[in-house]
Amino acid sequence: MKPHRIRMTHSLIMNYRLYKKMEIYRAKPATKQEMCQFHTDEYIDFLSKVTPDNMEQYSKEQGKYNVGDDCPVFDGLFEFCGISGGGSMEGAARLNRGKCDIAINWAGGLHHAKKSEASGFCYVNDIVLGIIELLRYKQRVLYIDIDVHHGDGVEEAFYTTDRVMTVSFHKYGEYFPGTGELRDIGVGAGKYYAVNFPLRDGITDTTYKEVFEPVIGHVMEFYQPDAVVLQCGADSLSGDRLGCFNLSMAGHANCVEYVKKFNLPTLVVGGGGYTMRNVSRAWTYETGILVNQKVGPNLPFSDFYEYFGPDYELDVRPSNMENLNSKEYLEKIKIQVLSNLERTRHAPSVQTTDVGKGLTEHQEEQDAILDDIDEDGPGMDARQTQRQWDRATEKEGELYSDSEDEEITSSMGVRKTSKKGLRNVRDWKEGGSGTGSGNATPFTGPGGSDNASESAGGNTAKGSGATSKRDGEGRDLTEFDEELEALRKETEEEVQPDNDGDVEMGDDEQPPPSADALTDEVADEEMTDVPAQSSTSSTKVDPIPTAESLSQAKPEAATTDDKIRVEASEFSKAETPAKGSGSGVPKPSESSVANAAPEGSNSMASTTDRHSSKPPLVADESVSSTAKAPANPVEAPAKEEK
């Protein structure tokens, strides 16, 4: 019963863009005087004063008004009661004025509160306050309760009148609040105008529909109400923490859709529900039904998106719990209920009286003042006022631009999406993730495990019960599985770890290149045209360098290609005597090469690391490679003399 579930429902409704199909009315909180139309003055005064800080001073009143155990004291208690009661009363007033056909207040539905007592997390009975406002203009009002608990507070308030018929489908038998027996039919003028249909654990969509539609159909035929108040308690859904029914979201919403078919002024309120993610799902789906807009199955990205894992879908599925409601039992109860309704075949009449000035008339005066303000214009800084934006609705066949209300929608919690369709986090593997989609970018490791699915709590297509893979726009992507698998294997083959264990990275220690590898590399470099590059040094590198030129050269000023040519010349000269040619320029000694190399070795190594993926050529490596040559021109004459 925390207000957080109302915030979650509001976020889903806004991000499904359902607000564009209806007017938003910001109701004022109910005042003490308005609450006292049903509740006692002492009880309302106590609720307005008690806080968690001073609750010890009201220990006696807490026992008197049943506040403290099931109905704890919290900060903002009276403010919450005012918002809940004011929403239902203002919605009823707009129905009286003909400003709307259906009014929705998901913060209402607190059907357990009594005249001077709190009960079952309910402090102020907003339903009774709304019905009282409807009775000022409507002759007969029908109240329907599909909460798993019996609506005892509403039934008790109108137990002796025929102007309100209460119909409740609830769990009965060692279950809170313990009322709602089949024989509770009302007293006095209200006899047979209280209808109770007691049920047992595990009722399913089919069996619930078989008893709900016939009973409500006969009530509409016999009682002929002028308005309907529908309490949509979501604790009758499957998987509720306190409920014991097995209704799916579709089965629960079928009741709303059936009542809507009668085209009567309807006030829809919330109620119980203790699994927050399922409550917000059901109420959002039923809001779509009321505005003739189909929503789902994928959830839009919202402020509370992580609450709806692991499937992230707009659906509440039934479980495999046993249905204890046999056909014989349900048929017996239905026959008795219909028999009692036969006694109300003639709809009661009401004498017309002056109702005086109430909330409906006060609302008309306030709206007239606000209409004058809107006509004056919002000013230079805004295109329209907040009230004009709330009252604007989209109609089919007309074009609208979302850019006109970006600031207002962002303040209302609407998230921007760049995709045409609403996407599900499970679609990242099939359709990929894009900017604004709200999906994490997947990473496929060497072992083929999908880290994104693990972070999403094992959210896979298998867990959702789907037989085919589809993306956010409903396209079948099963045919791409083989292509994706082949691409994954190809990636694994290409990406292999190096000697030090990393992937596509340079080794910590490069092994010295062999003479054959260097010779092949030199041949490749000689075949490549090297573009002319500027050098800050005035020294030019000869095609066949001498020892003096190597000792006087400045390697740090030479480019990488010049250094490679120097090394190539050294190796080509080292191989010449070995092939039998005794002529040529004498090769510089190892000591001269060693003296010339250190100055440019660091420069060459750093340049190679930055600009080339080839192993760096260091002076020490070149010396060792030169020593492995087949013959040395300096030592050759000495061997011939011996």
Side-chain angles (χ1 to χ4, degrees):
M1 294 297 289
K2 293 182 179 179
H4 185 64
R5 63 189 187 137
I6 311 299
R7 191 180 299 112
M8 293 173 61
T9 304
H10 172 79
S11 179
L12 284 181
I13 291 174
M14 296 300 294
N15 284 280
Y16 268 124
R17 305 302 196 269
L18 295 177
Y19 67 92
K20 297 183 178 181
K21 302 295 182 180
M22 55 185 171
E23 296 183 11
I24 300 175
Y25 187 78
R26 302 173 187 271
K28 296 180 179 179
T31 62
K32 286 185 178 181
Q33 182 180 2
E34 292 170 344
M35 294 181 186
C36 291
Q37 294 182 44
F38 171 62
H39 298 283
T40 60
D41 298 344
E42 296 81 5
Y43 175 61
I44 297 300
D45 186 64
F46 164 74
L47 292 178
S48 63
K49 293 180 179 179
V50 66
T51 62
D53 298 332
N54 62 4
M55 59 183 300
E56 296 180 357
Q57 303 176 10
Y58 297 94
S59 57
K60 183 178 179 180
E61 287 80 357
Q62 290 185 49
K64 178 180 179 181
Y65 300 124
N66 192 29
V67 174
D69 294 332
D70 288 344
C71 304
V73 178
F74 56 90
D75 290 326
L77 170 61
F78 189 72
E79 180 183 3
F80 169 74
C81 296
I83 293 174
S84 175
S88 297
M89 294 182 68
E90 296 272 12
R94 293 184 70 82
L95 290 173
N96 287 338
R97 297 170 55 200
K99 291 292 184 179
C100 62
D101 300 323
I102 300 174
I104 305 174
N105 178 30
W106 293 125
L110 309 180
H111 57 169
H112 292 308
K114 309 295 194 305
K115 188 178 184 65
S116 60
E117 179 182 339
S119 176
F121 314 131
C122 305
Y123 304 87
V124 172
N125 200 319
D126 65 287
I127 300 175
V128 175
L129 297 177
I131 292 177
I132 290 175
E133 185 65 29
L134 286 173
L135 290 175
R136 301 179 71 249
Y137 284 81
K138 311 296 182 184
Q139 295 185 12
R140 294 172 299 277
V141 177
L142 172 63
Y143 170 69
I144 304 174
D145 194 321
I146 59 176
D147 196 288
V148 72
H149 302 97
H150 177 235
D152 54 339
V154 182
E155 181 183 275
E156 181 180 308
F158 304 106
Y159 204 61
T160 60
T161 179
D162 57 358
R163 294 192 62 189
V164 178
M165 174 176 283
T166 60
V167 183
S168 179
F169 299 85
H170 55 272
K171 167 72 166 61
Y172 179 76
E174 297 183 359
Y175 198 71
F176 181 86
T179 57
E181 190 181 0
L182 178 63
R183 293 176 291 180
D184 295 339
I185 56 177
V187 295
K191 191 174 183 180
Y192 302 115
Y193 290 94
V195 180
N196 290 295
F197 204 110
L199 299 169
R200 296 173 180 172
D201 293 357
I203 190 168
T204 60
D205 296 349
T206 304
T207 53
Y208 200 91
K209 181 179 181 180
E210 291 175 353
V211 300
F212 180 84
E213 294 185 357
V215 171
I216 298 301
H218 282 77
V219 169
M220 292 291 184
E221 179 184 354
F222 298 155
Y223 189 63
Q224 300 178 9
D226 296 329
V228 178
V229 178
L230 178 60
Q231 199 266 12
C232 301
D235 48 8
S236 54
L237 290 170
S238 175
D240 190 82
R241 297 171 63 184
L242 298 183
C244 55
F245 286 174
N246 195 22
L247 295 180
S248 67
M249 184 182 70
H252 193 271
N254 177 71
C255 302
V256 179
E257 187 174 8
Y258 183 77
V259 173
K260 179 177 176 290
K261 293 179 180 179
F262 292 97
N263 297 322
L264 293 173
T266 306
L267 173 62
V268 181
V269 294
Y274 309 97
T275 303
M276 291 188 296
R277 59 182 182 275
N278 291 345
V279 173
S280 55
R281 280 174 168 138
W283 289 350
T284 301
Y285 184 76
E286 289 165 3
T287 302
I289 290 178
L290 294 172
V291 299
N292 300 320
Q293 180 72 35
K294 184 178 180 181
V295 294
N298 291 342
L299 288 174
F301 185 71
S302 62
D303 294 334
F304 309 98
Y305 192 71
E306 65 275 6
Y307 281 77
F308 302 99
D311 54 355
Y312 299 94
E313 291 184 350
L314 189 71
D315 191 16
V316 179
R317 302 177 181 85
S319 64
N320 58 351
M321 69 181 302
E322 182 182 2
N323 185 5
L324 301 180
N325 298 272
S326 62
K327 292 185 178 180
E328 294 77 11
Y329 170 77
L330 294 177
E331 191 66 24
K332 179 180 178 181
I333 298 298
K334 184 170 65 175
I335 291 175
Q336 184 63 41
V337 168
L338 297 180
S339 176
N340 293 336
L341 289 175
E342 287 286 344
R343 303 173 184 269
T344 63
R345 181 176 292 274
H346 304 286
S349 59
V350 179
Q351 183 178 358
T352 303
T353 58
D354 184 11
V355 296
K357 187 176 181 179
L359 180 62
T360 302
E361 292 75 21
H362 178 71
Q363 191 181 87
E364 290 180 352
E365 296 176 358
Q366 292 294 325
D367 286 350
I369 296 174
L370 294 175
D371 289 339
D372 294 338
I373 296 175
D374 292 341
E375 290 179 358
D376 295 338
M380 298 293 294
D381 299 334
R383 297 183 179 181
Q384 57 184 357
T385 62
Q386 179 72 56
R387 184 167 178 269
Q388 289 174 334
W389 184 86
D390 291 342
R391 298 175 63 182
T393 58
E394 289 188 358
K395 298 177 177 59
E396 295 183 2
E398 297 182 5
L399 298 177
Y400 299 90
S401 176
D402 294 336
S403 60
E404 297 181 357
D405 54 1
E406 287 182 355
E407 295 183 1
I408 299 178
T409 54
S410 61
S411 64
M412 297 287 289
V414 180
R415 296 290 186 179
K416 295 181 180 179
T417 55
S418 60
K419 296 293 182 181
K420 294 182 180 180
L422 301 176
R423 297 183 63 81
N424 188 302
V425 259
R426 296 186 297 102
D427 295 337
W428 65 262
K429 186 174 182 181
E430 292 83 358
S433 62
T435 304
S437 64
N439 299 342
T441 302
F443 171 74
T444 304
S449 61
D450 299 327
N451 297 340
S453 61
E454 295 175 1
S455 61
N459 184 17
T460 59
K462 182 179 179 180
S464 64
T467 57
S468 63
K469 298 180 180 179
R470 297 181 179 273
D471 62 355
E473 301 179 1
R475 297 172 299 183
D476 191 1
L477 298 173
T478 308
E479 57 183 358
F480 298 105
D481 286 347
E482 297 181 0
E483 182 179 352
L484 292 173
E485 184 66 21
L487 181 60
R488 183 184 65 80
K489 292 182 178 180
E490 182 180 353
T491 305
E492 291 181 2
E493 293 176 357
E494 293 178 355
V495 180
Q496 296 295 337
D498 296 331
N499 296 335
D500 53 352
D502 50 16
V503 180
E504 293 185 348
M505 301 286 290
D507 291 335
D508 294 341
E509 297 181 359
Q510 291 287 350
S514 61
D516 297 337
L518 290 174
T519 304
D520 296 339
E521 184 178 353
V522 168
D524 295 339
E525 293 295 340
E526 291 177 352
M527 294 295 292
T528 305
D529 294 336
V530 180
Q533 299 183 4
S534 61
S535 175
T536 57
S537 175
S538 60
T539 305
K540 297 183 179 180
V541 181
D542 297 331
I544 304 177
T546 61
E548 290 78 6
S549 61
L550 288 175
S551 61
Q552 296 176 2
K554 295 181 179 180
E556 64 276 6
T559 60
T560 305
D561 295 333
D562 295 336
K563 296 178 178 61
I564 294 176
R565 287 186 175 184
V566 171
E567 297 295 337
S569 300
E570 295 174 10
F571 284 105
S572 62
K573 187 174 181 180
E575 295 176 357
T576 302
K579 296 179 180 179
S581 62
S583 63
V585 180
K587 179 178 172 63
S589 61
E590 296 180 5
S591 59
S592 63
V593 176
N595 293 332
E599 184 178 358
S601 60
N602 295 335
S603 174
M604 182 170 60
S606 60
T607 305
T608 305
D609 292 339
R610 291 196 302 267
H611 301 285
S612 177
S613 61
K614 300 176 182 179
L617 300 177
V618 189
D620 295 339
E621 298 176 0
S622 62
V623 173
S624 61
S625 301
T626 306
K628 296 178 181 180
N632 194 323
V634 179
E635 298 178 357
K639 293 182 179 180
E640 292 177 359
E641 292 177 359
K642 291 182 180 180

